[in-house]
Each structure stands twice: as C-alpha cells, then as structure tokens.
Amino acid sequence: MFHSIDVKKLLLSMTMMAFGLSISRGTSVAAFSLAAFSRAPSATARREFSTFGYRRTGALQSTMEAVTDLTKSMGVEHPAYEIITNDMVEEYGAATTLYRHKKSGAELLSVSTDDDNKVFGITFRTPPEDSTGVPHILEHSVLCGSRKYKTKDPFVQLLQGSLQTFLNAFTYPDRTCYVVASQNEKDFYNLINVYADAVFHPRAINDPNVHAQEGWHLELENKEDPLIYKGVVYNEMKGVYSSSDSRLSRASQRSIFPDTTYGVDSGGDPKVIPELSFEQFADFHAKYYHPTNSRIYFSGDDDVYARLEIMDEYLKDFDVSPESKPGSVIDWQSKVFNEPQRIVEPYPIGEDQPETNMVNINWLVNEEPFTPLEEMAIGILDHLLMGTTSAILRKTLTESGLGESITGGGLSDELLQATFSVGLKGVKEEDVSKVEELILSTLEKVAEEGFEAEAIASSMNTIEFQMREFNTGSFPKGLSFMLGAMSKWLYDQSPTEALKFEEPLAELKSRIESSGSEVFQELIKKYLVSNTHRTTVEMKPSKSLETEELEEEKSRLSAIKENLSDEDLEEIIQKTQVLKELQATEDPPEARATIPALELGDLKRETTEYPIAVTENENDSGVTVIRHELGSTSGIAYVKFGIDLSGLDVEDITLLPLFSRVMMETGAGELDQVELSRKIGTHTGGISVSVLTTAVHPDGADESDIMDGNYLQTKLLMSGKSTSDKTTELFDLMKMILTDARLDSQSRVIEMLKESKSRRESAIIGGGHSAANTRMKARYRVGGYVDEMMGGISQLETLRELLKQAEEDWPSLLARLERIRNTILDQETCRSGMFFDITGDTAVQSKIKDSVHKFLDELPGDADGKKVQNFYKEQHPWVEPVKKLMAELAPIEDEGFVVPTQVSYVGKAGLAYEEGEQASGSAQVVARFLRTGYLWDRVRVMGGAYGGFCTFSPYSGFFSYLSYRDPNLSKTLDVYDEAAEAVIAAAEQLENDPDALSQAIIGTIGDMDGAMSPDQKGNTQLTRWLVNESAEYRQKFRDQILDTKPEHFREFGERLKNLKQTSVAVVSSKAAFDEAKEDGKVMNMKNIV
C-alpha cells in the first residue's frame, strides 16, 4: 500500500482498513513521520497532566509498582545471544533489552510492557539505487510462500483465520518493515513464524512468477493482441502517479536529495518499474535481507525467553555477514546548493478543471544529527508554524488568497535527515512568485520577531498532552514504539534514547523560561532562513498529460512487440498462460495445512460490553448524561456533546460540514481565531465538531430485522478531552463555541470552501473506491443520501455553488449559517435533544461532577421545555423530503465519474436483504470470506488491481463490491457478476473442509475484537446506546457468527445471485469508460474533476 503520510495523518490512514485495504499488502511510505509518537509514553505510565508539567497520582503509584515488576524482564539471558544494553524507558513504562544474536549478528530489541496487544516487527535497511521499485515489489513478494509455508499466499491465509490486530508491511525510502500484532499469544507466535520464514526464505527469489505477479510482466494472450503491462505494484504506482499531490511530494523529495538514495522512488515509478529484472530482484533480497542487516523487535506482555527462542530458530541458519550492514548505510546528503534551485514539472488535470499551478518550497533541514533538545524544539516549532489553522505560516498562506489549500505539510523527520516543505495548490501562474515571497518573508519576520508567549504555551501543552496521553486508538502502541525506536536504531544509534522525552522537554522549558522565543528563532534562522539548500517545485497543469502518458506507454509496448520474433511472442503467451493457471489453481490441502492456525476453542464466546450509565434530565437540566466508568483513563476526561439537528430544513444539510468548521476556525465570543485556538491548545487535549447521522432500531422492533432507514438520530457532535483539573476550561470553551462562534467571517469562509473543494477533488481522484461506495449507498437509504450530501461526489458541486454564493452573495449564506445555529439552539426544544457523554475512570468521574453540572446549567434552552420527537417511535422529519431528492438526484442507475487518472475504482452494489427480512451474523463470515478469497484472487492477484473487496451491512442489507487502483473496469464488473456462483461453490468445498470454515469464523471474530483505547470503548458503547441496540442482540449476533455452517454460504450466495436493485458507480478516466462501452458496459457519465 502506498501512502504519503505523516504523524498528523497516521491514525486517519488506519480508517482505510474499513474498506479492506488492510489486506492490500504493503505500504510504500514516502513520508511516515512519527515525531509526536516517537517521544510519547505508554498509557501504562498513568500520569495526570497539567500545563507544562504533570503530577503523580494514585494510579501512577500502582503503575510504578508494575514497572518495578517489568524490570525483572530486563537482562533475560539466552545462550544464543549477547546483551548489548538494558534500559528502562520510564516515559513508556517499558523495560527494554537490546540483544545481538551471536551467530548471525542480528540485533533484537525486547520491550516488556503490560500491554496485551503484542507486537513483532522485523526491519531491513533497503536503500534503492533507482526507481524500479525493487524494495516495494520485494516487500509484496516475500509474503507469497516460503520454505516452511507452502501456499501461494500465506499472508491471505493469516488474514482469513487470525485474531491479528495488525498485519502488514511498509516500504520506506530507506527501509522495509514487516509487522504483526495480536492479543492472543498463540496467534501472535503463529504470525511470527510465518513472517520470519517469509523474509529469510521466500519462494519469490526462486520463482519468477511471483516477481511477475506482484511487480510487473508483459501480458499477451493472442499474437494479434497488443502487449500490456500487468502487475500489482505497477498498477498501484500508476494510481499514485495519477495524484497531483503525490507527484508534487515526490518531485519535492527528489529535488532536495540529488546525491543519495532519497532522490529515487522506492515505491517505483511506473515508467521505470519495467526495467527491473528478476535477477536484480533476487539479488536485492540476497544483499539486504540478511539477519546482520535486520533489526528485530518485540513488545508486549509475553515471555522474553520465548521471544529469543523463536527467533533463534530462524537466525541460527545464518553466519554474520561482514558486508551486509556497511553495504546498506544511508549516506548523508550534504547541503550542496549555494543558491535555491527551481524545478518545473507538469501534472494532469481534467477537461473541466481550472488551469492552476501547484508550488512547494522545500528545505533540507539538517546535514548532521540533531541534539535531543533540537529534535524536541524543532517539533514544537513545526506546530507553531503549521500545526493549527491559526499557526502563523499556515494562517498567512491560507488568508493570502493566492491559492486554494496548503501543500507540503511542514516538517518531515522520519528519515536520516529532516525536510521542511510548504506551499499552495490552486495558484494562478502569475501568483507563483508571490507564494514564494510570502513564505520566505513570513519566516524572516518570525525569525526576527519571534512567537508570542501564548502561542508557545499552547503548542507546548498540545504536544506534551499528546506525548503523555499516547492515544493511538486501535493502532498498536507497541508499533508506535517500534517506529519511534527505528528513527534512530536504523542509523546505528540507540533505539531507546529516541523514545525518552523528559530531559529534552525539561531543558526546552528551561530555555523558554529564560529566553522566551529565542530558541525557536535560532532554529528558523539556522535551518530555514539562512539555508540555501532549498528548492522550489512548481507543477503546471496539463489537460493532455494523461493521454500523452497512455500513448507513450502504448508506443513503448508497440515498439517492444515489433522487435520480438514469433518465438518470443509465443514465449510471452506461454508465460501469460502459466501465470494465469498458477493464479487460478487452488492450494492443495497439504500446502494449506502448513499454515499455523487457531481453533474455534481459542475464541471468546461472550461479547465484550463496556460500562454505561444513563441519567435522563440530570440535575434537572433537561439533558441526558451518559457515563462510561473505566478502570483507568490516566486522569483524562473524554466528552462528547450531542445537539439535535432534526429541526433543520433539508436544504441546509449540505451546509453542516462548513458550519462545523466555522464553529472551530473563526473565533468565538471575545476570542478571535488565533486566541480561541491558543486557549484550546493551552487548556485541553483538543476540541472538534462533527456531524453524526445513524439509523436506529425502532422501539419494539426485532433487532435482527433489516432496517428501512426511516428512523434516524442526527446530531451535531462536539468532542473534547482534558485532564480532570481542566474540565471547567474545556466545558467553557465548548459552550462558547456552540453559542458564540463568529459565523460572520466572509474571507475565512471563502478560504475554507476553496480548501474543502480542493481536498474533495484530491480525495475522489486518490480514493475513488470510497467515493463510489458513498454514492451507491445514497441510492438505497435516507442516511446514505445524507452522507452523500455532506461528504460524497455530489458535495463537490455543492462546494462550488457555496463558494460562488460566499463570494457573490455573502449575506444570504451568512443568514443560512445563522439559521442553523438558531434552529439547533431553539429555546423551547434544544435541551431535550441534547446528550452529554463522559468517559473517565472513577476518580475522573467524581472530580468533574460539579463542573459537568455547571456546564449543563449554563446551556441555552429551557430545562423543562418542549420535548423533541421520540426518534425511536416516529419517522425522522428529513425522511420524506430526502426521498424526493433521492428519486430525482440519486436514481438506481449505473454512473461513471470521469477524473484524470490511469486506474479505475469500480463499484457495484445492491440490496442482499430487503426491509423486514433478517440477516444472520453468518452473513458477515461469508462476506469476509468473499473479500479475502475470491475477490482477492480475481481482482488483485489475477486482475492486477491493488485491492478488491466488498462491504455488507447487516442493518440495511446493503452489499457492495469495490476495487482500488484497478487496471480493469469491464473485466472487474464481470468478476463481480460471477462472485455469487463462487460463494455457492465454496459452500460445497467447506462441507469437506471444516478447518477452512473455522478459519473464516476466526477471522471474522478477529475483526470484531480489536484493541481499543479508553475513549474508543466509551464511544463504542455510546453508539450502541444511540442506535438502540441491546446486549442480547449483540450476543445473538456473535453466536450466529460462531455457529456459521456451509449452508449459510449457499444461502448468502443465492442472495448475491439475486441482488436487488443493482447499480454501478465507477471513478475512472474517459478512455477506460470508452473501452467499457465497447464491451456493453454503458454508464451515465459525468465529468467531476
């Protein structure tokens, strides 16, 4: 999987798994910055925070005792290893020992914590010399069978039947990481065995078919056909290079690293990938995948000796390789530019897209290691410059009117050397130089004048809160620890020193106390203002580039074919046939039997429930309060405040995303935008505003019945968190934002709309599968159409219309925003439609009770006013008007959405169950089996797409097929049409293979039982309460999953065969739609970008 992500987007990227992308093995990471997490402590450290410091609590005392116990795990001896060092990382509550394997030279970091979400990772330093994508292709390929595990794709078998909480791999510009995680110890060691054998003894280095499938190959079925390129990574990277943002970030990195490995694309350039031979591919593995060049990592609560023992089984086959580590050393890029450089490149745009430029200014920040103080300070500096919408550099650029949205994102520090990039997209050609001048002049001004004390306090508290809370959600904490350690360990420095932040944080506070902003001004001057190793990358729009690149590829392939003899063509045809036959052949039972697996008896039968206590009309406030009292939340209160939206006119639904942003980003009460942002940063862990819409079970209905979607809860949701001694400030800010947000900032609203439009365009081009799925859902249920209005393809046109209204008729738009606020805060009814949800431990709940009651008392509205309607008894007022819009604007039809891209995102959907029917939990097992089996094989392995998957809702009956970065369109729709028969055929196979059925069940349970942070547990139980779902139903549903039989596959297959009201939504290029039309796949086409 290829992402260009940093720490600000890390957790967001994990949501992609909801679309099955977790099974699209492999992440080629262009910018995976973990600065904030790399210095953050484990939640087990149990600290309660205050601004610029923390104080010990009773919870901390008990944890310190636990830490004392953990120290016993340091220094465990094993005859195959020598101990390099022991270290207690107190910030994490982690006891660590760094070992060296005597025979192979491999280094192993053992981290002991009380976290049951155990993590294993093995990382190789893999610097590429060119842009053939060899490390990326190899990362995909090593998991396609190995010495011990004989199936074609053990990775998929693990996905099908594991309780894994993380299973993936990453390709960085200079390293390749393989990571697994599980809360089940047996499962965890099964995963380790498969991954360890895969990296050291892969089938791929002896079987050219793996390189052909995962990397690239020439495909030809008949002599008269044109040659084509096929390969998973090849098509993945064509999708990446279809994104203008990706092109800009890659050009920026190349520009500032002219002499080192960072100047090539480790993910692979589609134009260069076909230059990679199988011999080069195998040689790369031999050179870099040696234990001496590896860094092996364990964390969690499992036994240290067992860790050492299992790895010795693999490492003892190797002797030390003297040339392995020196041969992979990453060279430093010297600052060789005496004056800034300029690069101009084209990027593709659609026919109807405005011809605007993109521009990034990029710096190579350092050419020698940072001191710990510098590293801490430059992270805070990045937040001061770019971290919030009110940060000085980001705000100046946004308000300049010179472009539509920010590019670059600021500091990236995940590699040997840090870089800083910032710019704008949507820039008129004549304004490009103005953008450059504005960036440079802003930095010069800050370097001279410094930052205000309030800004520094806000950024310091924000980053410190994040480090101490260390809330990674469902993303394993141990993996964040590993990636943080790797930021130094990979470059032969201490893996644990990188994770300690107390000393540099204290030193930075001392510097700020004595000299204020000076430390940051010095950094700006040294690393940015006076730094001539700087480049400006300008991307110019081209409406012909997409066609030119496609024609160039066709010409190249045509030239290759013309130079081939008949014998050569026959050989390609033969290889194509052999590969297809291999891909279509099922693994024999004896091969599948080599994959270690859990048994049904290893599963927990009971559904996990989390605490919930509901008090209606708490303290005579008229507001419902929900509490989740958990074991420990480290002194933090997590709150969600819901305000009913049902009184709004349907025409104002499309304004809710904008209204939510305006509430947070224009100031409130006496505070302007900057002052509000600083208050939030100084006193809280963050506040956000979003919109929640969900269908609910009507009172008295059978919860197993498919819902008609006419009963809904619609809420404006304000979320916040703070330490328990700061909740008064948190609640005051939330109330001010709700009642007194400054809605009348025309210039700021215009900026928001430009930025939102730009982001939506990028999201559709880069994530067309998501856009297609949202569009298809809009055709069947009211809630789906509401989601489309606020965040789908149709929202793009809405944003364009709102932007025009904001520029030409601001009073009308302002009146609509004010009407929304007045309606949701109606004096008579608003309190009746509110809820206040609190997640916290016993001490937190007790400590904040008075501030909660004060908050409730001061809310607008009458405590004993009118009641809003009962949404569990009456149809939501939006239903009828929305259904009229659906009939007009989202009919059941096949639609094609044209964007500039070289790949397709193909969706097909319908209703597997209709209103009143019942969907069993077994349907989840079948849908997952289809996703990880047939669709994986046919869409990804054989079709060459980066991802193929399906979604199913047991609540609405909605079922959809989706593909991601797909070289096919028409053929993929054919694959979908054949899926039902494949499921029916699987039923018979499972009758004779009970182990395969067990694995399907286990994998489904694994999806349900992932690790959760405290706030996620509270939110899960809140959602259950909102949708009116009982614990009895959840247990029944789980039982149905566990009791799935082969006949359930047959039943679901018949439903897929007779899918009701089917329709298609595809995001692709005009050329792809024209080809599909020739195959009889005719769609209502719309140019959207």
Side-chain angles (χ1 to χ4, degrees):
M1 209 164 18
F2 196 103
H3 295 301
S4 181
I5 50 181
D6 59 23
V7 68
K8 302 158 194 167
K9 302 168 189 168
L10 174 62
L11 297 181
L12 180 62
S13 75
M14 304 310 294
T15 63
M16 293 178 71
M17 291 185 177
F19 285 98
L21 292 185
S22 60
I23 69 167
S24 295
R25 173 177 58 243
T27 303
S28 183
V29 182
F32 204 146
S33 173
L34 286 142
F37 287 144
S38 70
R39 307 181 196 94
S42 165
T44 59
R46 308 291 186 233
R47 285 178 177 153
E48 189 168 276
F49 329 123
S50 58
T51 306
F52 286 84
Y54 64 91
R55 54 189 178 81
R56 297 180 184 271
T57 66
L60 175 63
Q61 181 61 41
S62 62
T63 303
M64 294 307 292
E65 293 169 1
V67 167
T68 301
D69 291 337
L70 287 172
T71 59
K72 298 174 183 176
S73 66
M74 289 196 300
V76 172
E77 295 184 354
H78 187 289
Y81 300 83
E82 59 182 343
I83 295 174
I84 300 174
T85 184
N86 295 307
D87 197 5
M88 188 71 207
V89 184
E90 294 187 4
E91 289 90 338
Y92 273 86
T96 75
T97 302
L98 182 61
Y99 296 90
R100 181 180 292 109
H101 188 257
K102 295 175 183 176
K103 189 170 187 292
S104 70
E107 290 186 2
L108 185 152
L109 181 64
S110 175
V111 180
S112 295
T113 69
D114 64 359
D115 187 359
D116 69 347
N117 197 12
K118 292 165 275 289
V119 174
F120 165 80
I122 183 164
T123 299
F124 300 93
R125 205 158 55 192
T126 53
E129 297 177 358
D130 54 39
S131 294
T132 58
V134 57
H136 187 191
I137 295 169
L138 189 58
E139 172 242 298
H140 277 242
S141 301
V142 299
L143 295 169
C144 293
S146 65
R147 177 186 63 178
K148 288 168 61 176
Y149 304 111
K150 305 294 187 179
T151 64
K152 292 179 297 182
D153 211 333
F155 178 83
V156 178
Q157 274 82 60
L158 293 177
L159 280 167
Q160 289 172 340
S162 167
L163 297 178
Q164 53 84 18
T165 56
F166 195 89
L167 185 74
N168 219 319
F170 313 109
T171 301
Y172 286 72
D174 60 6
R175 78 201 77 156
T176 309
C177 308
Y178 298 86
V179 184
V180 302
S182 180
Q183 294 169 288
N184 180 289
E185 189 165 303
K186 179 180 176 182
D187 187 48
F188 180 56
Y189 281 89
N190 287 346
L191 298 172
I192 292 170
N193 273 302
V194 174
Y195 262 50
D197 200 61
V199 297
F200 291 128
H201 306 288
R203 171 174 70 99
I205 59 173
N206 299 308
D207 185 351
N209 283 312
V210 178
H211 168 255
Q213 172 183 291
E214 297 297 322
W216 77 277
H217 64 276
L218 290 170
E219 185 165 294
L220 187 68
E221 295 188 358
N222 302 291
K223 279 187 180 180
E224 60 273 15
D225 293 341
L227 276 176
I228 61 172
Y229 287 127
K230 268 286 188 72
V232 173
V233 169
Y234 178 77
N235 288 311
E236 175 189 348
M237 298 311 297
K238 285 186 81 172
V240 170
Y241 275 73
S242 294
S243 163
S244 57
D245 293 328
S246 292
R247 286 179 182 254
L248 178 62
S249 66
R250 276 160 182 74
S252 294
Q253 179 161 309
R254 286 197 306 270
S255 72
I256 49 179
F257 289 104
D259 305 318
T260 75
T261 189
Y262 299 146
V264 300
D265 192 338
S266 63
D269 182 334
K271 294 180 181 178
V272 183
I273 287 173
E275 297 174 10
L276 178 68
S277 70
F278 173 71
E279 291 72 25
Q280 292 169 322
F281 167 82
D283 288 346
F284 195 88
H285 180 273
K287 182 175 182 179
Y288 294 119
Y289 278 62
H290 191 282
T292 306
N293 190 44
S294 71
R295 286 136 181 95
I296 301 166
Y297 171 88
F298 284 86
S299 71
D301 60 359
D302 56 312
D303 180 68
V304 173
Y305 194 87
R307 298 170 174 178
L308 302 174
E309 189 71 10
I310 192 173
M311 287 314 302
D312 182 50
E313 288 298 312
Y314 295 94
L315 300 176
K316 67 184 181 183
D317 294 341
F318 298 87
D319 293 319
V320 171
S321 169
E323 68 279 359
S324 184
K325 258 190 179 177
S328 68
V329 168
I330 311 301
D331 293 328
W332 284 82
Q333 172 68 60
S334 299
K335 294 183 178 180
V336 295
F337 300 154
N338 295 321
E339 59 182 27
Q341 307 293 299
R342 187 174 194 84
I343 295 93
V344 179
E345 294 187 6
Y347 78 95
I349 62 169
E351 283 298 321
D352 301 329
Q353 202 170 349
E355 296 189 46
T356 57
N357 292 25
M358 306 170 70
V359 59
N360 242 13
I361 300 187
N362 317 284
W363 286 265
L364 177 65
V365 176
N366 60 317
E367 55 184 344
E368 58 185 21
F370 290 126
T371 66
L373 173 63
E374 282 182 316
E375 192 161 20
M376 176 66 68
I378 205 163
I380 302 293
L381 173 61
D382 181 51
H383 192 269
L384 284 162
L385 291 171
M386 299 287 295
T388 69
T389 56
S390 64
I392 182 63
L393 183 54
R394 181 172 166 186
K395 183 174 184 289
T396 301
L397 283 170
T398 302
E399 292 180 350
S400 68
L402 296 173
E404 292 183 346
S405 64
I406 301 289
T407 60
L411 181 72
S412 179
D413 61 354
E414 79 289 348
L415 302 177
L416 177 66
Q417 292 170 268
T419 62
F420 191 91
S421 297
V422 65
L424 284 171
K425 62 193 295 188
V427 180
K428 295 177 182 177
E429 186 166 11
E430 61 268 25
D431 288 338
V432 168
S433 61
K434 295 177 185 177
V435 174
E436 296 179 72
E437 292 166 8
L438 182 61
I439 292 170
L440 297 174
S441 63
T442 302
L443 291 172
E444 289 168 359
K445 180 180 179 182
V446 175
E448 290 303 315
E449 299 178 4
F451 298 97
E452 295 178 6
E454 293 82 359
I456 296 172
S458 177
S459 289
M460 288 289 289
N461 186 71
T462 297
I463 300 302
E464 184 173 358
F465 190 103
Q466 292 173 355
M467 290 192 296
R468 296 194 187 285
E469 182 194 20
F470 194 42
N471 186 343
T472 62
S474 56
F475 190 73
K477 285 184 171 65
L479 177 51
S480 291
F481 191 111
M482 183 194 103
L483 297 175
M486 208 61 64
S487 68
K488 301 298 180 187
W489 192 14
L490 190 79
Y491 310 116
D492 302 315
Q493 301 173 51
S494 166
T496 52
E497 288 304 314
L499 298 157
K500 298 177 180 180
F501 67 85
E502 292 290 9
E503 287 188 16
L505 180 61
E507 187 178 353
L508 179 57
K509 288 179 181 179
S510 177
R511 283 286 304 273
I512 293 170
E513 188 174 351
S514 62
S515 58
S517 179
E518 187 178 297
V519 61
F520 302 114
Q521 292 168 259
E522 291 172 355
L523 290 173
I524 294 176
K525 290 175 183 175
K526 177 179 179 180
Y527 291 120
L528 298 177
V529 173
S530 301
N531 182 359
T532 58
H533 195 100
R534 183 180 89 224
T535 64
T536 296
V537 174
E538 180 183 354
M539 306 290 284
K540 292 192 172 185
S542 170
K543 292 185 177 181
S544 61
L545 183 61
E546 178 191 344
T547 302
E548 290 168 5
E549 290 183 336
L550 288 172
E551 288 301 319
E552 190 275 334
E553 180 181 300
K554 287 180 182 178
S555 298
R556 190 182 342 142
L557 287 164
S558 178
I560 291 172
K561 189 177 181 184
E562 286 177 6
N563 290 315
L564 295 174
S565 65
D566 285 347
E567 291 78 11
D568 293 332
L569 292 174
E570 283 294 341
E571 183 180 356
I572 293 174
I573 292 171
Q574 182 66 25
K575 286 182 176 180
T576 299
Q577 184 178 346
V578 168
L579 180 59
K580 287 183 179 292
E581 288 175 355
L582 175 69
Q583 292 168 335
T585 303
E586 294 283 338
D587 288 311
E590 59 271 21
R592 289 187 64 90
T594 64
I595 307 298
L598 295 176
E599 300 172 353
L600 290 178
D602 296 316
L603 302 183
K604 182 168 68 76
R605 187 90 197 184
E606 298 75 25
T607 295
T608 301
E609 299 291 333
Y610 304 107
I612 183 169
V614 180
T615 307
E616 296 182 357
N617 190 26
E618 168 132 349
N619 208 37
D620 295 325
S621 65
V623 179
T624 298
V625 176
I626 306 107
R627 290 182 172 86
H628 313 283
E629 191 171 300
L630 301 178
S632 174
T633 58
S634 301
I636 299 174
Y638 299 93
V639 300
K640 292 184 181 294
F641 180 36
I643 303 99
D644 186 62
L645 297 171
S646 64
L648 295 179
D649 293 337
V650 167
E651 67 181 25
D652 288 333
I653 293 173
T654 55
L655 268 178
L656 286 171
L658 174 63
F659 180 76
S660 302
R661 279 195 72 180
V662 171
M663 287 177 68
M664 291 299 303
E665 297 182 23
T666 58
E670 297 179 355
L671 304 178
D672 63 22
Q673 174 194 352
V674 173
E675 291 167 333
L676 176 61
S677 177
R678 289 176 181 174
K679 284 268 188 188
I680 291 171
T682 300
H683 296 292
T684 80
I687 298 173
S688 63
V689 182
S690 59
V691 179
L692 181 152
T693 63
T694 180
V696 301
H697 296 287
D699 281 346
D702 188 326
E703 293 172 66
S704 297
D705 287 351
I706 295 296
M707 295 189 284
D708 60 14
N710 296 340
Y711 296 83
L712 300 165
Q713 282 279 14
T714 53
K715 303 289 184 184
L716 186 75
L717 197 63
M718 301 185 71
S719 303
K721 58 186 176 182
S722 75
T723 57
S724 57
D725 57 356
K726 286 285 187 177
T727 51
T728 297
E729 289 87 345
L730 171 66
F731 298 160
D732 285 347
L733 286 166
M734 291 176 74
K735 176 179 172 292
M736 183 190 301
I737 291 166
L738 175 65
T739 60
D740 296 315
R742 297 181 179 180
L743 307 179
D744 58 349
S745 177
Q746 180 184 11
S747 60
R748 185 70 186 105
V749 168
I750 290 172
E751 293 157 10
M752 289 181 195
L753 289 168
K754 287 181 178 179
E755 184 178 66
S756 295
K757 180 178 73 70
S758 177
R759 287 178 177 176
R760 176 53 46 196
E761 288 172 346
S762 296
I764 293 170
I765 294 172
H769 62 298
S770 178
N773 204 45
T774 301
R775 181 65 177 179
M776 292 188 295
K777 285 181 179 180
R779 300 167 182 160
Y780 301 98
R781 292 289 186 267
V782 169
Y785 188 79
V786 169
D787 289 343
E788 164 73 8
M789 292 169 75
M790 294 191 294
I793 289 173
S794 64
Q795 190 210 21
L796 184 55
E797 186 56 38
T798 298
L799 289 167
R800 290 168 178 156
E801 292 170 357
L802 290 175
L803 179 57
K804 183 178 180 182
Q805 186 178 19
E807 291 174 332
E808 300 178 2
D809 188 10
W810 169 245
S812 295
L813 182 55
L814 175 59
R816 293 178 66 189
L817 293 171
E818 290 174 337
R819 184 172 68 201
I820 290 176
R821 181 162 65 189
N822 292 337
T823 300
I824 67 175
L825 297 182
D826 178 79
Q827 185 71 17
E828 290 189 334
T829 60
C830 69
R831 289 208 183 192
S832 172
M834 293 175 174
F835 69 76
F836 195 65
D837 182 80
I838 311 163
T839 298
D841 54 40
T842 304
V844 167
Q845 298 278 6
S846 175
K847 187 170 183 178
I848 72 171
K849 188 173 183 179
D850 289 343
S851 58
V852 169
H853 288 166
K854 178 177 178 289
F855 172 72
L856 297 177
D857 290 343
E858 294 176 354
L859 286 172
D862 296 333
D864 56 355
K866 285 184 183 179
K867 300 288 185 184
V868 296
Q869 73 176 66
N870 187 328
F871 299 104
Y872 304 104
K873 293 183 181 295
E874 302 172 51
Q875 182 172 283
H876 196 281
W878 290 355
V879 169
E880 292 307 320
V882 167
K883 283 186 175 180
K884 290 179 181 178
L885 291 173
M886 291 170 65
E888 178 186 355
L889 302 175
I892 307 291
E893 66 176 9
D894 295 345
E895 293 180 293
F897 301 98
V898 180
V899 300
T901 182
Q902 297 183 47
V903 292
S904 297
Y905 302 88
V906 185
K908 183 172 183 176
L911 296 177
Y913 295 82
E914 295 185 292
E915 297 166 22
E917 295 184 311
Q918 292 191 347
S920 166
S922 62
Q924 296 293 106
V925 180
V926 185
R928 191 181 191 280
F929 182 88
L930 179 61
R931 172 167 62 90
T932 59
Y934 173 84
L935 291 174
W936 171 276
D937 289 337
R938 293 293 301 276
V939 177
R940 185 189 188 280
V941 174
M942 299 175 69
Y946 185 37
F949 36 95
C950 60
T951 74
F952 172 65
S953 168
Y955 307 107
S956 67
F958 175 83
F959 182 92
S960 65
Y961 300 100
L962 297 163
S963 72
Y964 181 68
R965 291 180 181 165
D966 193 342
N968 306 305
L969 197 168
S970 180
K971 288 181 181 179
T972 297
L973 289 171
D974 292 339
V975 169
Y976 297 162
D977 290 341
E978 297 165 7
E981 292 295 347
V983 172
I984 293 169
E988 184 175 345
Q989 296 167 6
L990 294 171
E991 294 277 8
N992 302 313
D993 191 354
D995 288 341
L997 177 59
S998 296
Q999 295 313 295
I1001 294 169
I1002 290 167
T1004 306
I1005 293 294
D1007 288 346
M1008 299 169 65
D1009 290 355
M1012 287 190 193
S1013 60
D1015 58 312
Q1016 286 181 314
K1017 293 175 182 177
N1019 189 60
T1020 296
Q1021 204 66 25
L1022 169 65
T1023 302
R1024 292 168 172 176
W1025 173 78
L1026 271 175
V1027 301
N1028 203 22
E1029 182 186 87
S1030 67
E1032 291 75 19
Y1033 168 73
R1034 288 190 288 275
Q1035 186 59 57
K1036 175 184 175 182
F1037 193 79
R1038 188 181 182 94
D1039 289 342
Q1040 290 170 340
I1041 289 172
L1042 291 166
D1043 296 336
T1044 298
K1045 300 290 188 292
E1047 57 262 30
H1048 296 131
F1049 282 71
R1050 191 173 295 108
E1051 292 168 5
F1052 196 76
E1054 290 294 339
R1055 288 192 174 273
L1056 293 181
K1057 199 173 181 179
N1058 298 290
L1059 207 59
K1060 302 292 193 302
Q1061 302 179 61
T1062 58
S1063 66
V1064 166
V1066 177
V1067 175
S1068 191
S1069 65
K1070 184 178 183 302
F1073 285 119
D1074 290 343
E1075 288 181 15
K1077 187 176 180 179
E1078 293 177 5
D1079 290 339
K1081 310 292 196 310
V1082 180
M1083 300 168 209
N1084 182 8
M1085 286 170 54
K1086 301 172 184 176
N1087 288 295
I1088 58 169
V1089 176

